[in-house]
Amino acid sequence: MHKNTWKNMALVAGSLTLTTGFADAASTLVNLGNNAPTGNIIASEESRNSFTRAFDIEANANHARGMVFTTGDNATGGQFAIDSITVSKDTTQTFVGGEVTLFVYQGSVADWTAGNGDTTETAADIYDGTTVTPLFEETFALNGSYGANSYLQFSLDSSLIVDENSEFGFFLIYSKGDANDDDYLQLDERSSGGGQIRLTDTANEVNGTRGLTFYVQGTAVPEPSSAALLGLGGLALMLRRRK
């Protein structure tokens, strides 16, 4: 499993600066919840009537599942800070030492589907041939029992700053831990609407009729000028109180 992680993201003069860090191991457990996320929803799809599987790469060619999404308009600025991505679990599964790696990129469906597939689970192979911009990668641990209709929340190690009114995608790659674990991670999906990201040995795909149940959460980022004005206002208030 590839462990590189794009971290340490900073907003500098209104632009996104990325520096590359390295995660030694999957130290962060996937958060497990019984209720769907509420509040600070940037993008979501709540309906579900079927299931889909992200397989371990050694077990099956269909070794990733994800979803395209679009950010809306930010009334207070031009960007959002993504803090977590949640997917809905189908059927109960127990894992011992399993891992799930979350990837996020910016780009259109056409940008993603220009890719050549993946056989090594390295970022260079995953994105080969695409014209998307990789933004984030982090590996999470799967340990314990994860029940049907529960929610798997991936809380990002660092908030991801993204543009408003733009196209993105996220996807999950599952890596089996114990020999007795299932060869796949089974998730809820809907059999309409499309938008589901798939990655095989030979293609980067977006399914036209199926989509994941998912929630992207975060907050609006004020424009730098707005943030500066708020800071000056706070300073003026402090000075007034000292008089």
Short mmCIF file of all heavy atoms in Angstrom, two decimals, residues 24-93:
data_model
loop_
_atom_site.label_atom_id
_atom_site.label_comp_id
_atom_site.label_asym_id
_atom_site.label_seq_id
_atom_site.Cartn_x
_atom_site.Cartn_y
_atom_site.Cartn_z
N ASP A 24 4.11 7.10 7.90
CA ASP A 24 4.82 5.84 8.10
C ASP A 24 3.88 4.65 8.12
O ASP A 24 4.22 3.56 7.71
CB ASP A 24 5.60 5.88 9.43
CG ASP A 24 6.70 6.93 9.38
OD1 ASP A 24 7.23 7.17 8.29
OD2 ASP A 24 7.01 7.50 10.43
N ALA A 25 2.67 4.83 8.62
CA ALA A 25 1.72 3.73 8.70
C ALA A 25 0.33 4.29 8.88
O ALA A 25 0.15 5.48 9.12
CB ALA A 25 2.09 2.80 9.86
N ALA A 26 -0.66 3.40 8.77
CA ALA A 26 -2.04 3.82 8.96
C ALA A 26 -2.30 3.92 10.46
O ALA A 26 -2.69 2.96 11.10
CB ALA A 26 -2.98 2.81 8.32
N SER A 27 -2.07 5.09 11.04
CA SER A 27 -2.20 5.26 12.48
C SER A 27 -3.57 5.78 12.89
O SER A 27 -3.93 5.71 14.05
CB SER A 27 -1.12 6.22 12.99
OG SER A 27 -1.22 7.47 12.33
N THR A 28 -4.34 6.31 11.95
CA THR A 28 -5.63 6.90 12.26
C THR A 28 -6.74 5.90 11.95
O THR A 28 -6.86 5.40 10.84
CB THR A 28 -5.86 8.17 11.42
OG1 THR A 28 -4.79 9.09 11.67
CG2 THR A 28 -7.18 8.83 11.80
N LEU A 29 -7.56 5.60 12.95
CA LEU A 29 -8.68 4.70 12.75
C LEU A 29 -9.81 5.42 12.01
O LEU A 29 -10.03 6.62 12.20
CB LEU A 29 -9.21 4.19 14.08
CG LEU A 29 -8.47 3.02 14.73
CD1 LEU A 29 -8.99 2.81 16.14
CD2 LEU A 29 -8.63 1.76 13.92
N VAL A 30 -10.52 4.68 11.17
CA VAL A 30 -11.72 5.21 10.55
C VAL A 30 -12.77 5.42 11.63
O VAL A 30 -13.03 4.52 12.44
CB VAL A 30 -12.26 4.24 9.48
CG1 VAL A 30 -13.56 4.76 8.89
CG2 VAL A 30 -11.22 4.02 8.39
N ASN A 31 -13.37 6.60 11.69
CA ASN A 31 -14.42 6.87 12.67
C ASN A 31 -15.69 6.13 12.27
O ASN A 31 -16.07 6.11 11.09
CB ASN A 31 -14.71 8.37 12.76
CG ASN A 31 -13.53 9.15 13.29
OD1 ASN A 31 -12.80 8.67 14.16
ND2 ASN A 31 -13.31 10.35 12.78
N LEU A 32 -16.37 5.54 13.25
CA LEU A 32 -17.59 4.78 13.00
C LEU A 32 -18.77 5.46 13.67
O LEU A 32 -18.73 5.76 14.86
CB LEU A 32 -17.43 3.36 13.53
CG LEU A 32 -18.62 2.41 13.35
CD1 LEU A 32 -18.86 2.15 11.87
CD2 LEU A 32 -18.36 1.09 14.08
N GLY A 33 -19.83 5.72 12.90
CA GLY A 33 -21.01 6.36 13.45
C GLY A 33 -22.28 5.64 13.04
O GLY A 33 -22.32 4.94 12.03
N ASN A 34 -23.34 5.82 13.84
CA ASN A 34 -24.62 5.19 13.55
C ASN A 34 -25.58 6.11 12.81
O ASN A 34 -26.61 5.66 12.31
CB ASN A 34 -25.28 4.71 14.85
CG ASN A 34 -24.51 3.60 15.52
OD1 ASN A 34 -23.99 2.71 14.85
ND2 ASN A 34 -24.40 3.65 16.84
N ASN A 35 -25.25 7.40 12.76
CA ASN A 35 -26.13 8.37 12.14
C ASN A 35 -25.42 9.11 11.02
O ASN A 35 -24.21 9.32 11.06
CB ASN A 35 -26.63 9.38 13.18
CG ASN A 35 -27.40 8.72 14.30
OD1 ASN A 35 -28.34 7.97 14.05
ND2 ASN A 35 -27.01 9.01 15.54
N ALA A 36 -26.19 9.52 10.03
CA ALA A 36 -25.63 10.28 8.92
C ALA A 36 -25.12 11.63 9.41
O ALA A 36 -25.70 12.23 10.32
CB ALA A 36 -26.69 10.48 7.84
N PRO A 37 -24.04 12.12 8.83
CA PRO A 37 -23.51 13.44 9.22
C PRO A 37 -24.54 14.54 8.96
O PRO A 37 -25.32 14.47 8.01
CB PRO A 37 -22.29 13.61 8.32
CG PRO A 37 -21.92 12.24 7.88
CD PRO A 37 -23.21 11.49 7.79
N THR A 38 -24.51 15.55 9.81
CA THR A 38 -25.36 16.73 9.62
C THR A 38 -24.52 17.97 9.86
O THR A 38 -23.59 17.96 10.66
CB THR A 38 -26.55 16.73 10.60
OG1 THR A 38 -26.05 16.69 11.95
CG2 THR A 38 -27.46 15.54 10.36
N GLY A 39 -24.83 19.03 9.18
CA GLY A 39 -24.12 20.28 9.37
C GLY A 39 -22.85 20.38 8.55
O GLY A 39 -22.14 19.39 8.37
N ASN A 40 -22.59 21.57 8.04
CA ASN A 40 -21.37 21.86 7.28
C ASN A 40 -21.19 20.92 6.09
O ASN A 40 -20.08 20.50 5.78
CB ASN A 40 -20.13 21.80 8.19
CG ASN A 40 -20.14 22.86 9.26
OD1 ASN A 40 -20.67 23.96 9.07
ND2 ASN A 40 -19.58 22.55 10.41
N ILE A 41 -22.29 20.58 5.43
CA ILE A 41 -22.24 19.70 4.27
C ILE A 41 -21.89 20.51 3.02
O ILE A 41 -22.60 21.45 2.65
CB ILE A 41 -23.57 18.97 4.05
CG1 ILE A 41 -23.97 18.17 5.30
CG2 ILE A 41 -23.49 18.07 2.82
CD1 ILE A 41 -23.05 17.02 5.62
N ILE A 42 -20.80 20.15 2.37
CA ILE A 42 -20.38 20.82 1.14
C ILE A 42 -20.97 20.12 -0.08
O ILE A 42 -21.39 20.75 -1.05
CB ILE A 42 -18.84 20.85 1.05
CG1 ILE A 42 -18.26 21.70 2.19
CG2 ILE A 42 -18.38 21.39 -0.30
CD1 ILE A 42 -16.75 21.66 2.28
N ALA A 43 -21.01 18.78 -0.03
CA ALA A 43 -21.61 17.98 -1.11
C ALA A 43 -22.05 16.66 -0.51
O ALA A 43 -21.42 16.16 0.42
CB ALA A 43 -20.61 17.75 -2.24
N SER A 44 -23.13 16.07 -1.04
CA SER A 44 -23.61 14.80 -0.48
C SER A 44 -24.58 14.12 -1.42
O SER A 44 -25.12 14.73 -2.34
CB SER A 44 -24.30 15.04 0.88
OG SER A 44 -25.51 15.77 0.71
N GLU A 45 -24.81 12.84 -1.15
CA GLU A 45 -25.85 12.04 -1.78
C GLU A 45 -26.31 11.02 -0.75
O GLU A 45 -25.53 10.17 -0.32
CB GLU A 45 -25.34 11.34 -3.04
CG GLU A 45 -26.35 10.42 -3.68
CD GLU A 45 -27.67 11.11 -3.99
OE1 GLU A 45 -27.67 12.07 -4.78
OE2 GLU A 45 -28.70 10.69 -3.42
N GLU A 46 -27.57 11.11 -0.32
CA GLU A 46 -28.04 10.29 0.79
C GLU A 46 -28.79 9.03 0.38
O GLU A 46 -28.95 8.12 1.19
CB GLU A 46 -28.94 11.14 1.71
CG GLU A 46 -28.22 12.33 2.32
CD GLU A 46 -29.05 13.04 3.38
OE1 GLU A 46 -29.16 12.50 4.49
OE2 GLU A 46 -29.58 14.11 3.06
N SER A 47 -29.28 8.95 -0.83
CA SER A 47 -30.08 7.79 -1.22
C SER A 47 -29.21 6.55 -1.38
O SER A 47 -28.02 6.64 -1.71
CB SER A 47 -30.82 8.08 -2.53
OG SER A 47 -29.90 8.32 -3.58
N ARG A 48 -29.80 5.37 -1.15
CA ARG A 48 -29.09 4.10 -1.30
C ARG A 48 -30.10 2.98 -1.52
O ARG A 48 -31.13 2.92 -0.87
CB ARG A 48 -28.23 3.80 -0.08
CG ARG A 48 -29.00 3.82 1.24
CD ARG A 48 -28.05 3.71 2.42
NE ARG A 48 -28.76 3.80 3.69
CZ ARG A 48 -28.16 3.89 4.87
NH1 ARG A 48 -26.84 3.89 4.94
NH2 ARG A 48 -28.87 3.97 5.97
N ASN A 49 -29.80 2.10 -2.45
CA ASN A 49 -30.68 0.96 -2.70
C ASN A 49 -29.92 -0.25 -3.22
O ASN A 49 -30.52 -1.22 -3.68
CB ASN A 49 -31.78 1.34 -3.70
CG ASN A 49 -31.23 1.84 -5.02
OD1 ASN A 49 -30.04 1.73 -5.30
ND2 ASN A 49 -32.10 2.42 -5.85
N SER A 50 -28.58 -0.21 -3.12
CA SER A 50 -27.79 -1.33 -3.58
C SER A 50 -26.43 -1.28 -2.88
O SER A 50 -26.26 -0.52 -1.92
CB SER A 50 -27.61 -1.25 -5.11
OG SER A 50 -26.94 -2.40 -5.59
N PHE A 51 -25.48 -2.08 -3.33
CA PHE A 51 -24.15 -2.06 -2.72
C PHE A 51 -23.08 -2.19 -3.80
O PHE A 51 -23.33 -2.61 -4.92
CB PHE A 51 -24.00 -3.18 -1.69
CG PHE A 51 -23.98 -4.57 -2.29
CD1 PHE A 51 -22.80 -5.13 -2.76
CD2 PHE A 51 -25.14 -5.31 -2.37
CE1 PHE A 51 -22.78 -6.40 -3.31
CE2 PHE A 51 -25.14 -6.59 -2.92
CZ PHE A 51 -23.95 -7.14 -3.39
N THR A 52 -21.87 -1.79 -3.41
CA THR A 52 -20.72 -1.91 -4.30
C THR A 52 -19.52 -2.32 -3.47
O THR A 52 -19.50 -2.14 -2.25
CB THR A 52 -20.45 -0.58 -5.04
OG1 THR A 52 -19.46 -0.80 -6.04
CG2 THR A 52 -19.99 0.50 -4.09
N ARG A 53 -18.49 -2.89 -4.12
CA ARG A 53 -17.33 -3.41 -3.40
C ARG A 53 -16.03 -2.84 -3.96
O ARG A 53 -15.83 -2.84 -5.17
CB ARG A 53 -17.29 -4.94 -3.49
CG ARG A 53 -18.42 -5.62 -2.73
CD ARG A 53 -18.44 -7.12 -3.00
NE ARG A 53 -19.43 -7.79 -2.15
CZ ARG A 53 -19.73 -9.09 -2.23
NH1 ARG A 53 -19.11 -9.84 -3.14
NH2 ARG A 53 -20.63 -9.61 -1.42
N ALA A 54 -15.18 -2.38 -3.04
CA ALA A 54 -13.80 -2.01 -3.39
C ALA A 54 -12.92 -3.18 -2.97
O ALA A 54 -12.79 -3.48 -1.78
CB ALA A 54 -13.39 -0.74 -2.65
N PHE A 55 -12.32 -3.86 -3.93
CA PHE A 55 -11.55 -5.07 -3.66
C PHE A 55 -10.08 -4.77 -3.38
O PHE A 55 -9.52 -3.79 -3.89
CB PHE A 55 -11.63 -6.02 -4.87
CG PHE A 55 -12.90 -6.80 -4.96
CD1 PHE A 55 -14.00 -6.27 -5.61
CD2 PHE A 55 -13.00 -8.06 -4.40
CE1 PHE A 55 -15.18 -6.99 -5.72
CE2 PHE A 55 -14.18 -8.79 -4.49
CZ PHE A 55 -15.27 -8.25 -5.15
N ASP A 56 -9.47 -5.64 -2.59
CA ASP A 56 -8.02 -5.67 -2.48
C ASP A 56 -7.46 -5.91 -3.88
O ASP A 56 -7.98 -6.74 -4.63
CB ASP A 56 -7.59 -6.78 -1.52
CG ASP A 56 -6.10 -6.82 -1.30
OD1 ASP A 56 -5.38 -7.23 -2.24
OD2 ASP A 56 -5.65 -6.46 -0.20
N ILE A 57 -6.39 -5.21 -4.22
CA ILE A 57 -5.86 -5.27 -5.58
C ILE A 57 -5.41 -6.68 -5.97
O ILE A 57 -5.42 -7.05 -7.15
CB ILE A 57 -4.70 -4.27 -5.75
CG1 ILE A 57 -4.37 -4.08 -7.24
CG2 ILE A 57 -3.49 -4.69 -4.95
CD1 ILE A 57 -3.42 -2.93 -7.50
N GLU A 58 -5.04 -7.51 -4.99
CA GLU A 58 -4.60 -8.86 -5.29
C GLU A 58 -5.76 -9.83 -5.47
O GLU A 58 -5.57 -10.97 -5.89
CB GLU A 58 -3.67 -9.37 -4.18
CG GLU A 58 -2.38 -8.57 -4.06
CD GLU A 58 -1.48 -9.10 -2.97
OE1 GLU A 58 -1.86 -10.09 -2.30
OE2 GLU A 58 -0.39 -8.52 -2.77
N ALA A 59 -6.98 -9.37 -5.15
CA ALA A 59 -8.15 -10.25 -5.23
C ALA A 59 -9.00 -10.02 -6.46
O ALA A 59 -9.65 -10.94 -6.97
CB ALA A 59 -9.01 -10.09 -3.98
N ASN A 60 -9.03 -8.76 -6.96
CA ASN A 60 -9.94 -8.44 -8.05
C ASN A 60 -9.48 -7.16 -8.73
O ASN A 60 -8.89 -6.29 -8.09
CB ASN A 60 -11.36 -8.28 -7.50
CG ASN A 60 -12.42 -8.18 -8.58
OD1 ASN A 60 -12.55 -7.15 -9.22
ND2 ASN A 60 -13.18 -9.25 -8.77
N ALA A 61 -9.79 -7.03 -10.01
CA ALA A 61 -9.36 -5.85 -10.76
C ALA A 61 -10.09 -4.58 -10.34
O ALA A 61 -9.60 -3.47 -10.55
CB ALA A 61 -9.57 -6.08 -12.26
N ASN A 62 -11.28 -4.72 -9.73
CA ASN A 62 -12.05 -3.55 -9.29
C ASN A 62 -11.60 -3.13 -7.90
O ASN A 62 -12.21 -3.49 -6.90
CB ASN A 62 -13.54 -3.88 -9.30
CG ASN A 62 -14.08 -4.08 -10.69
OD1 ASN A 62 -14.16 -3.15 -11.47
ND2 ASN A 62 -14.43 -5.32 -11.01
N HIS A 63 -10.53 -2.36 -7.82
CA HIS A 63 -9.92 -2.11 -6.52
C HIS A 63 -10.01 -0.67 -6.03
O HIS A 63 -9.16 -0.21 -5.28
CB HIS A 63 -8.46 -2.58 -6.52
CG HIS A 63 -7.66 -2.12 -7.69
ND1 HIS A 63 -7.50 -2.88 -8.82
CD2 HIS A 63 -6.99 -0.98 -7.93
CE1 HIS A 63 -6.74 -2.25 -9.69
NE2 HIS A 63 -6.42 -1.08 -9.18
N ALA A 64 -11.03 0.04 -6.42
CA ALA A 64 -11.28 1.37 -5.84
C ALA A 64 -12.73 1.75 -6.09
O ALA A 64 -13.33 1.38 -7.11
CB ALA A 64 -10.35 2.42 -6.43
N ARG A 65 -13.30 2.51 -5.14
CA ARG A 65 -14.63 3.07 -5.31
C ARG A 65 -14.60 4.50 -4.76
O ARG A 65 -13.93 4.78 -3.77
CB ARG A 65 -15.69 2.26 -4.55
CG ARG A 65 -16.02 0.92 -5.20
CD ARG A 65 -16.73 1.12 -6.53
NE ARG A 65 -17.15 -0.13 -7.13
CZ ARG A 65 -16.42 -0.85 -7.97
NH1 ARG A 65 -15.19 -0.45 -8.29
NH2 ARG A 65 -16.90 -1.97 -8.49
N GLY A 66 -15.33 5.39 -5.41
CA GLY A 66 -15.37 6.77 -4.97
C GLY A 66 -16.49 7.52 -5.65
O GLY A 66 -17.43 6.92 -6.17
N MET A 67 -16.38 8.84 -5.67
CA MET A 67 -17.47 9.66 -6.18
C MET A 67 -16.95 11.00 -6.68
O MET A 67 -16.05 11.60 -6.07
CB MET A 67 -18.49 9.90 -5.06
CG MET A 67 -19.81 10.43 -5.52
SD MET A 67 -20.73 9.22 -6.49
CE MET A 67 -22.02 10.28 -7.15
N VAL A 68 -17.50 11.46 -7.79
CA VAL A 68 -17.23 12.83 -8.22
C VAL A 68 -18.18 13.76 -7.47
O VAL A 68 -19.27 13.37 -7.07
CB VAL A 68 -17.42 12.99 -9.75
CG1 VAL A 68 -16.46 12.09 -10.51
CG2 VAL A 68 -18.86 12.71 -10.16
N PHE A 69 -17.75 14.99 -7.25
CA PHE A 69 -18.63 15.97 -6.60
C PHE A 69 -18.21 17.37 -7.03
O PHE A 69 -17.09 17.59 -7.50
CB PHE A 69 -18.60 15.83 -5.08
CG PHE A 69 -17.29 16.17 -4.42
CD1 PHE A 69 -17.05 17.45 -3.92
CD2 PHE A 69 -16.30 15.21 -4.29
CE1 PHE A 69 -15.84 17.76 -3.30
CE2 PHE A 69 -15.09 15.51 -3.67
CZ PHE A 69 -14.86 16.79 -3.18
N THR A 70 -19.14 18.31 -6.85
CA THR A 70 -18.91 19.70 -7.23
C THR A 70 -19.16 20.59 -6.02
O THR A 70 -20.15 20.42 -5.31
CB THR A 70 -19.84 20.13 -8.38
OG1 THR A 70 -19.61 19.26 -9.50
CG2 THR A 70 -19.57 21.56 -8.80
N THR A 71 -18.27 21.52 -5.78
CA THR A 71 -18.48 22.49 -4.71
C THR A 71 -19.43 23.58 -5.20
O THR A 71 -19.45 23.92 -6.38
CB THR A 71 -17.16 23.14 -4.26
OG1 THR A 71 -16.49 23.67 -5.41
CG2 THR A 71 -16.27 22.11 -3.59
N GLY A 72 -20.21 24.11 -4.30
CA GLY A 72 -21.15 25.17 -4.65
C GLY A 72 -20.52 26.54 -4.52
O GLY A 72 -19.29 26.70 -4.53
N ASP A 73 -21.37 27.54 -4.35
CA ASP A 73 -20.91 28.92 -4.22
C ASP A 73 -20.65 29.25 -2.76
O ASP A 73 -21.47 28.94 -1.89
CB ASP A 73 -21.97 29.86 -4.80
CG ASP A 73 -21.52 31.31 -4.76
OD1 ASP A 73 -20.56 31.64 -5.45
OD2 ASP A 73 -22.14 32.10 -4.02
N ASN A 74 -19.52 29.86 -2.48
CA ASN A 74 -19.18 30.31 -1.13
C ASN A 74 -19.50 31.80 -1.05
O ASN A 74 -18.81 32.62 -1.65
CB ASN A 74 -17.71 30.04 -0.84
CG ASN A 74 -17.27 30.60 0.52
OD1 ASN A 74 -18.06 31.17 1.25
ND2 ASN A 74 -16.00 30.42 0.84
N ALA A 75 -20.51 32.14 -0.28
CA ALA A 75 -20.98 33.52 -0.22
C ALA A 75 -20.00 34.45 0.49
O ALA A 75 -20.05 35.67 0.31
CB ALA A 75 -22.34 33.58 0.47
N THR A 76 -19.09 33.88 1.29
CA THR A 76 -18.16 34.72 2.07
C THR A 76 -16.76 34.74 1.50
O THR A 76 -15.88 35.41 2.02
CB THR A 76 -18.10 34.24 3.53
OG1 THR A 76 -17.57 32.91 3.55
CG2 THR A 76 -19.47 34.26 4.16
N GLY A 77 -16.52 33.98 0.45
CA GLY A 77 -15.18 33.92 -0.14
C GLY A 77 -15.17 32.98 -1.32
O GLY A 77 -16.22 32.57 -1.80
N GLY A 78 -14.00 32.59 -1.77
CA GLY A 78 -13.93 31.77 -2.97
C GLY A 78 -13.54 30.33 -2.73
O GLY A 78 -13.35 29.59 -3.69
N GLN A 79 -13.44 29.90 -1.46
CA GLN A 79 -12.94 28.56 -1.19
C GLN A 79 -13.65 27.90 -0.01
O GLN A 79 -14.35 28.55 0.77
CB GLN A 79 -11.43 28.61 -0.93
CG GLN A 79 -10.63 29.08 -2.14
CD GLN A 79 -9.15 29.20 -1.83
OE1 GLN A 79 -8.76 29.81 -0.84
NE2 GLN A 79 -8.32 28.63 -2.69
N PHE A 80 -13.45 26.57 0.09
CA PHE A 80 -13.95 25.79 1.21
C PHE A 80 -12.79 25.01 1.83
O PHE A 80 -11.82 24.68 1.15
CB PHE A 80 -15.01 24.78 0.76
CG PHE A 80 -16.30 25.39 0.31
CD1 PHE A 80 -16.51 25.68 -1.03
CD2 PHE A 80 -17.31 25.68 1.22
CE1 PHE A 80 -17.71 26.25 -1.46
CE2 PHE A 80 -18.51 26.23 0.81
CZ PHE A 80 -18.71 26.52 -0.53
N ALA A 81 -12.91 24.70 3.13
CA ALA A 81 -11.96 23.84 3.81
C ALA A 81 -12.65 22.51 4.10
O ALA A 81 -13.56 22.45 4.92
CB ALA A 81 -11.48 24.48 5.11
N ILE A 82 -12.24 21.45 3.40
CA ILE A 82 -12.82 20.12 3.62
C ILE A 82 -12.14 19.48 4.83
O ILE A 82 -10.91 19.38 4.88
CB ILE A 82 -12.64 19.23 2.38
CG1 ILE A 82 -13.43 19.81 1.20
CG2 ILE A 82 -13.10 17.80 2.67
CD1 ILE A 82 -13.24 19.03 -0.10
N ASP A 83 -12.95 19.03 5.79
CA ASP A 83 -12.42 18.43 7.01
C ASP A 83 -12.64 16.92 7.08
O ASP A 83 -11.88 16.21 7.75
CB ASP A 83 -13.07 19.07 8.24
CG ASP A 83 -12.76 20.55 8.35
OD1 ASP A 83 -11.60 20.93 8.10
OD2 ASP A 83 -13.68 21.34 8.65
N SER A 84 -13.68 16.42 6.42
CA SER A 84 -13.94 14.98 6.47
C SER A 84 -14.78 14.54 5.28
O SER A 84 -15.50 15.34 4.68
CB SER A 84 -14.66 14.60 7.77
OG SER A 84 -15.97 15.14 7.80
N ILE A 85 -14.67 13.24 4.97
CA ILE A 85 -15.49 12.61 3.94
C ILE A 85 -16.05 11.33 4.55
O ILE A 85 -15.31 10.53 5.14
CB ILE A 85 -14.68 12.30 2.67
CG1 ILE A 85 -14.22 13.62 2.02
CG2 ILE A 85 -15.50 11.47 1.69
CD1 ILE A 85 -13.33 13.43 0.80
N THR A 86 -17.36 11.13 4.42
CA THR A 86 -18.04 9.99 5.03
C THR A 86 -18.75 9.17 3.96
O THR A 86 -19.35 9.73 3.04
CB THR A 86 -19.07 10.48 6.07
OG1 THR A 86 -18.40 11.23 7.09
CG2 THR A 86 -19.80 9.30 6.72
N VAL A 87 -18.69 7.85 4.10
CA VAL A 87 -19.43 6.95 3.21
C VAL A 87 -20.28 6.02 4.07
O VAL A 87 -20.02 5.83 5.26
CB VAL A 87 -18.48 6.12 2.31
CG1 VAL A 87 -17.74 7.04 1.34
CG2 VAL A 87 -17.50 5.31 3.15
N SER A 88 -21.31 5.45 3.46
CA SER A 88 -22.25 4.58 4.17
C SER A 88 -21.88 3.12 3.96
O SER A 88 -21.60 2.69 2.85
CB SER A 88 -23.67 4.84 3.67
OG SER A 88 -24.60 4.02 4.33
N LYS A 89 -21.90 2.36 5.06
CA LYS A 89 -21.48 0.95 5.05
C LYS A 89 -22.66 0.03 4.75
O LYS A 89 -23.73 0.19 5.31
CB LYS A 89 -20.88 0.60 6.41
CG LYS A 89 -20.26 -0.78 6.50
CD LYS A 89 -18.91 -0.80 5.85
CE LYS A 89 -18.30 -2.20 5.95
NZ LYS A 89 -19.07 -3.20 5.17
N ASP A 90 -22.44 -0.94 3.89
CA ASP A 90 -23.43 -1.97 3.61
C ASP A 90 -22.92 -3.29 4.17
O ASP A 90 -21.77 -3.65 3.95
CB ASP A 90 -23.66 -2.10 2.11
CG ASP A 90 -24.66 -3.20 1.77
OD1 ASP A 90 -25.86 -2.91 1.77
OD2 ASP A 90 -24.21 -4.34 1.53
N THR A 91 -23.74 -4.00 4.90
CA THR A 91 -23.47 -5.29 5.53
C THR A 91 -22.37 -5.19 6.60
O THR A 91 -21.50 -4.32 6.53
CB THR A 91 -23.10 -6.39 4.50
OG1 THR A 91 -23.31 -7.67 5.09
CG2 THR A 91 -21.66 -6.29 4.04
N THR A 92 -22.44 -6.05 7.58
CA THR A 92 -21.47 -6.06 8.68
C THR A 92 -20.20 -6.80 8.25
O THR A 92 -20.27 -7.90 7.71
CB THR A 92 -22.06 -6.73 9.92
OG1 THR A 92 -23.20 -5.98 10.37
CG2 THR A 92 -21.03 -6.79 11.05
N GLN A 93 -19.05 -6.17 8.51
CA GLN A 93 -17.76 -6.79 8.22
C GLN A 93 -16.81 -6.55 9.38
O GLN A 93 -16.87 -5.50 10.04
CB GLN A 93 -17.14 -6.20 6.94
CG GLN A 93 -17.88 -6.55 5.66
CD GLN A 93 -17.19 -5.95 4.45
OE1 GLN A 93 -17.39 -4.78 4.14
NE2 GLN A 93 -16.38 -6.75 3.77
#
